[in-house]
């Protein structure tokens, strides 16, 4: 398998090392990280960055780098590609700027202002509707008219690799007349991606789908862990709250929209056609990003327990990310660099592509079999869930690495 | 009327002046602001603050001051009270540290990490349930078991005095079969207060109601402006989103829990009794904070149009703020200094105490009459809505000042 981090990718992240423990900006290439504080020491970026601007690479989040704007993201990328292609050319990267990934600790790449979660996969929304409401009218009346979304909790978004503690809370068990308190018994993952806002906007600014490229920095993998039983009891009428806010996991490398541009694909035919403010002008509004979910039980190892339990794709989003952005701002809501907008669970039409255990076990009724013979309806303590994502392949592969988390009791 | 800002209050805020435009920490007393950067220049706080710690008063938000912890909030308050009581005593405030309020511009007092909105007034929840659901079963099944809450949008919280732009969005008019797009026709205020978190907690930390005083810095007035028509169409199943995220207004002075301590009153008898994690140990879990809403139409002036349209009280919260805090963290959700937790609309049992136009006009069916003869169901462009709040009276009054905002089209 070729690397996720080819020269066509060059995602940005925040890393530190034991020797130099200050978190700082890095760019992934193969199994190495380019330490951007060292890369910027020479003249590499002098044509478009002042000395003061170069200090953004010393910071513990990408926010100030992102705030420099799209033309800077593009130029940094181009200069790095040139330097990596012709190491003896005009643009040079010093040897000591390369850090082996195995030596690095990855951190949350951005300071998230607000985190929004959409609900934009039609198969996911339909599955949930069939399970909990009316199979004949699985989608609610508003679903095909707007990208339904809600505000999530930003403080509890953690970087990949962070353990996830099973939350306790109130639940109303089936048939009970009083709620009970205890650890969630229906702990789930949600297979999502999320985009990161790249430009501040003032209150009152309304963006269109065509503004997407100028206003979005990049995409990460996102696991919106969910306690289905807590959520089920609390969510009417104001939406998910404690069933989600105990933790959400994010991949450490932000893949830029620039790197993903070659993988644009057509979207769904939207019927009825959306209102004008939501209409796409881009004939290729979706992205062909392959997604997979692997579960490793506590008892398992690489050979016996590791099971890929879902293979999905970001192209299964009915509402494009550009439509999400336009909808989010149509009321004048302001955005800040680092705001995170997640897709909602991405399920495809086939059962093998469903993006949550809620769907894969059909609400717990149909246990899933793992490679080692164990079964799962929801997550056990000790289970590790890993998402991977990539576009393209071979030398043109643009991958996300992974987002992983282990459930602790 | 005596001042809101007596010596028993001493709320904290962020202000600037034309002459010195850097936003910095101030404390309100009467019609003056104590410039804390100047107050701290002498030896006033030397017993408990280092020179480095004193620099928190130079910052543009209260967050770092708050992060110094409860014992510092208390000591600063005590020293200021002593200095104001005996101006020639051991503790002295230099004359030039006092700035007339009329010379000051007030700013948002904290950087808000996450903003949560509860729904804790039983009369408000009952009114909404009667209007939109079943009058005989106005409260949803979970309502008496937990303080229902949801995540709000932090980016669009603005300081008092900021104009509020009427949002546009999708709505489904009564009887229509397709949604329409346009400016909201049912723009409303929501009379709320909000508390500000005073201590960072790590993921996994569970707080009890008894932890409230240690973990909460103070309270502000809060107007959670709502576009009822946008909200009505979008909110099933994931809760309010664009119907709220166009703007929320906050009063500039944070009244400390210390100042409000004398105004604690009993809470509701909660039936059924809540689960143990929500049980109050404080016999006086509520606060006797008088609240009022004034509406001034564009056509009106102080004499002709100004109408107090609601008189309510924070003691009408069924779920106490300490219970809200405990509920919010029972799943291990981490908190950050500056997090805002709003009460939800505070309505009392009588119509004169209802906290939104939705209720006061009973869903638009019963227009409200203003002093100048105009009527309102929802807000018109040019309307100014002002909330005031205070506890106690006379020389012991502890007031919040006001939160005000004008609707612009």
């Amino acid at each position: 398998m070729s690397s996720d981090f080819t020269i066509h990718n060059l995602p940005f992240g925040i890393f530190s090392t034991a020797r130099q423990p200050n978190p700082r900006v890095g760019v992934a290439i193969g199994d190495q990280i380019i330490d951007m504080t060292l890369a910027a020491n020479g003249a590499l970026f002098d044509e478009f960055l002042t000395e003061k601007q170069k200090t953004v690479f010393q910071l513990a989040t990408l926010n100030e780098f992102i705030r420099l704007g799209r033309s800077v993201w593009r130029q940094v990328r181009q200069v790095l590609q040139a330097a990596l292609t012709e190491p003896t050319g005009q643009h040079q990267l010093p040897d000591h700027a390369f850090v082996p990934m195995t030596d690095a600790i990855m951190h949350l790449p951005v300071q998230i202002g607000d985190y929004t979660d959409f609900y934009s996969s039609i198969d996911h929304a339909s599955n949930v509707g069939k399970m909990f409401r009316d199979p004949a009218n699985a989608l609610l009346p508003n679903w095909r008219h707007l990208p339904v979304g809600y505000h999530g909790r930003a403080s509890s978004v953690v970087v990949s690799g962070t353990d996830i503690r099973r939350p306790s809370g109130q639940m109303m068990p089936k048939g009970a007349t009083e709620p009970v308190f205890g650890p969630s018994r229906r702990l789930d993952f949600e297979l999502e991606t999320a985009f990161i806002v790249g430009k501040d906007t003032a209150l009152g600014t309304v963006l269109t789908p065509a503004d997407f490229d100028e206003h979005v920095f990049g995409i990460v993998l996102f696991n919106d862990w969910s306690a289905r039983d807590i959520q089920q009891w609390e969510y009417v009428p104001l939406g998910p709250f404690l069933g989600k806010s105990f933790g959400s996991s994010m991949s450490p490398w932000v893949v830029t929209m620039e790197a993903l541009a070659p993988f644009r694909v057509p979207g769904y035919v939207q019927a009825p056609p959306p209102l004008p403010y939501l209409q796409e002008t881009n004939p290729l509004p979706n992205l062909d990003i392959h997604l997979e979910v692997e579960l490793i039980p506590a008892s398992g190892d690489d050979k016996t327990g590791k099971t890929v339990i879902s293979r999905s794709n970001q192209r299964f989003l009915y509402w494009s990310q550009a439509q999400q952005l336009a909808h989010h701002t149509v009321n004048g809501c302001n955005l800040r660099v680092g705001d995170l907008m997640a897709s909602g669970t991405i399920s495809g039409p086939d059962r093998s592509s469903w993006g949550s255990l809620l769907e894969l076990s059909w609400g717990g009724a149909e246990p899933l079999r793992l490679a080692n013979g164990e079964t799962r309806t929801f997550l056990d303590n000790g289970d590790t869930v890993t998402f991977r994502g990539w576009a393209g392949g071979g030398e043109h592969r643009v991958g996300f690495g992974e987002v992983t988390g282990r459930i602790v009791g």
Side-chain angles (χ1 to χ4, degrees), chain A residues 95-159:
Chain A
D95 281 350
H96 68 280
F98 291 87
V99 176
M101 277 189 185
T102 47
D103 288 356
I105 298 160
M106 298 306 299
H107 303 267
L108 205 65
V110 288
Q111 185 189 352
I112 301 163
D114 282 284
Y115 149 45
T116 301
D117 198 23
F118 285 93
Y119 187 53
S120 288
S121 153
I122 193 164
D123 290 294
H124 172 66
S126 300
N127 285 337
V128 172
K130 283 176 198 166
M131 260 183 273
F132 294 116
R133 289 180 296 267
D134 178 4
N137 293 290
L139 291 178
L140 285 161
N142 58 12
W143 201 91
R144 282 179 182 271
H145 292 285
L146 55 85
V148 171
Y150 68 103
H151 308 295
R153 178 83 191 174
S155 73
S156 53
V157 177
V158 296
V159 71

Side-chain angles (χ1 to χ4, degrees), chain A residues 46-311:
Chain A
D46 280 6
E47 276 180 39
F48 55 94
L49 288 184
T50 64
E51 289 304 311
K52 196 183 165 195
Q53 286 175 322
K54 288 186 199 171
T55 62
V56 297
F57 297 127
Q58 300 165 16
L59 302 177
T61 67
L62 293 175
N63 296 56
E64 293 310 312
F65 167 63
I66 296 173
R67 206 163 257 127
L68 295 177
R70 190 185 182 202
S71 79
V72 168
W73 318 333
R74 295 175 76 144
Q75 288 178 88
V76 166
R77 183 180 151 77
Q78 283 160 11
V79 165
L80 290 178
Q81 282 181 330
L84 289 163
T85 311
E86 300 179 62
T88 57
Q90 178 199 352
H91 298 294
Q92 291 197 18
L93 279 166
D95 281 350
H96 68 280
F98 291 87
V99 176
M101 277 189 185
T102 47
D103 288 356
I105 298 160
M106 298 306 299
H107 303 267
L108 205 65
V110 288
Q111 185 189 352
I112 301 163
D114 282 284
Y115 149 45
T116 301
D117 198 23
F118 285 93
Y119 187 53
S120 288
S121 153
I122 193 164
D123 290 294
H124 172 66
S126 300
N127 285 337
V128 172
K130 283 176 198 166
M131 260 183 273
F132 294 116
R133 289 180 296 267
D134 178 4
N137 293 290
L139 291 178
L140 285 161
N142 58 12
W143 201 91
R144 282 179 182 271
H145 292 285
L146 55 85
V148 171
Y150 68 103
H151 308 295
R153 178 83 191 174
S155 73
S156 53
V157 177
V158 296
V159 71
S160 174
T162 309
D163 284 348
I164 298 296
R165 191 169 297 276
R166 178 180 298 271
S168 287
Q170 274 196 42
M171 301 158 275
M172 179 68 95
K174 258 190 186 164
T177 55
E178 294 294 320
V180 299
F181 179 84
S184 168
R185 299 165 202 171
R186 291 164 74 90
L187 188 54
D188 202 353
F189 61 82
E190 289 197 333
L191 174 61
E192 307 197 12
T193 63
F195 68 83
I196 290 169
V197 170
K199 198 168 180 174
D200 294 314
T201 54
L203 255 178
T205 307
V206 177
L207 302 177
T208 71
D211 292 320
F212 186 81
D213 285 345
E214 182 70 23
H215 286 263
V216 173
F217 176 64
I219 295 183
V220 293
L221 302 174
F222 195 71
N223 186 343
D224 189 31
W225 307 93
S226 299
R228 301 296 180 190
D229 36 15
I230 295 172
Q231 185 185 342
Q232 181 70 14
W233 172 232
E234 74 179 354
Y235 91 106
V236 177
L238 298 181
F241 185 48
L242 301 189
K244 304 266 191 181
S245 64
F246 59 92
S248 313
S249 303
M250 185 167 155
S251 60
W253 293 107
V254 186
V255 178
T256 63
M257 296 319 299
E258 204 72 18
L260 291 166
F263 308 104
R264 291 223 158 266
V265 290
Y268 278 68
V269 175
Q270 297 182 320
L275 283 162
Y277 80 91
L278 284 171
Q279 280 169 18
E280 276 284 1
T281 47
N282 186 341
L284 303 173
N286 274 14
L287 282 166
D288 185 20
I289 301 174
H290 303 275
L291 300 168
E292 68 174 36
V293 181
E294 186 175 75
L295 195 154
I296 308 179
S299 62
D301 59 29
D302 279 10
K303 282 179 189 155
T304 62
K306 209 168 160 176
T307 311
V308 172
I309 59 174
S310 180
R311 289 186 172 86

Side-chain angles (χ1 to χ4, degrees), chain A residues 369-393:
Chain A
R369 185 164 294 275
L370 305 183
N372 67 354
E374 289 183 42
T375 59
R376 285 291 179 283
T377 49
F378 293 95
L379 294 170
D380 278 3
N381 289 345
D383 284 354
T384 298
V385 178
T386 303
F387 300 167
R388 296 189 186 85
W390 67 94

